[in-house]
Amino acid sequence: MATDDKNDRARVVTYVSTNQKTEWTEHADELGMSQAEFVRTMVQAGRNDFTLESSATVEPDSNTADPGGGDLETQVLEALESNGSLSWEQLVDSLSADFEERLEACLESLQATNQIRYSGRNGGYTTIDS
């Protein structure tokens, strides 16, 4: 869809299990989000994870249309639009709400593929030498 209108929208339909929908609904409610906003936010968060390896370690210029894909400016605006005024702490909480869950899932995946392991002797996670 080629358009410059930021308000132009297209409908996306998907099907998930009843249990998955219930989880998403509960999580959206906890975050004070609509289900649509929750799904959009989670998809963008997932897309950001896929682009992190190939992107620069320094955040691109904020004046670009979409720095880093799913840019921080968009996330801040969405948080403020859905919640009204937010303090610094509330913004941080809103933008990082699912980070621990995502990190845990990532660590479990890396352990399952034998790329990392937890080492008490080394005081934390470590890579597994090939």
Side-chain angles (χ1 to χ4, degrees), residues 13 29 50 57 59 96:
V13 178
D29 289 344
F50 287 116
T57 56
E59 186 172 331
S96 63

Side-chain angles (χ1 to χ4, degrees), residues 8 16 49 54:
D8 193 24
V16 296
D49 281 349
S54 62

Side-chain angles (χ1 to χ4, degrees), residues 96-107:
S96 63
D98 68 331
F99 177 74
E100 287 183 14
E101 292 171 12
R102 290 175 33 224
L103 176 59
E104 182 178 13
C106 176
L107 291 172

